[in-house]
Amino acid sequence: GKPAFFGLLDRDDRRRYVFGLPGNPASCYTVFDLLVRPLLEAWMGGVGDAGRGALTAQVAGAAPPRNARQQAIPAHLVVREGRVEADLDVVRPSGDPFSLL
């Protein structure tokens, strides 16, 4: 999800928020979902991610190598022997619009 931009402008006793989202479809969707949606929900009186509940899952199989930046990796959640596991999906290029399916 890069490049991404967030800025604030205080003018005339009003605060303006500016987001710049990546151009690739999957990156744009992911950055919007992680950064813009929570702000819009908060403005609308929503409870944000805290109201969605939390779920902890173990990564099934080998974990991807550590990266210097945060990455969103698609996964399928599966219940195995009473535990929730995350089967990581193949990471596709951010320009692939079908990667969101």
Side-chain angles (χ1 to χ4, degrees):
K2 59 181 185 169
F5 170 81
F6 174 73
L8 293 172
L9 175 64
D10 291 322
R11 183 186 296 166
D12 303 328
D13 296 328
R14 288 187 60 197
R15 175 165 279 179
R16 293 164 178 87
Y17 299 84
V18 179
F19 286 92
L21 302 177
N24 287 324
S27 293
C28 182
Y29 175 84
T30 302
V31 172
F32 179 90
D33 196 52
L34 293 173
L35 302 178
V36 181
R37 181 185 50 81
L39 179 63
L40 295 176
E41 285 181 347
W43 284 344
M44 294 170 36
V47 292
D49 288 338
R52 295 178 194 273
L55 179 69
T56 301
Q58 292 293 319
V59 174
R66 287 205 170 268
N67 196 324
R69 63 186 172 93
Q70 184 177 16
Q71 261 184 302
I73 300 174
H76 300 276
L77 297 179
V78 181
V79 177
R80 292 189 183 106
E81 300 176 16
R83 294 185 342 203
V84 179
E85 293 184 352
D87 288 336
L88 299 183
D89 202 352
V90 176
V91 177
R92 295 182 182 98
S94 60
D96 179 7
F98 299 105
S99 66
L100 297 172
L101 298 176

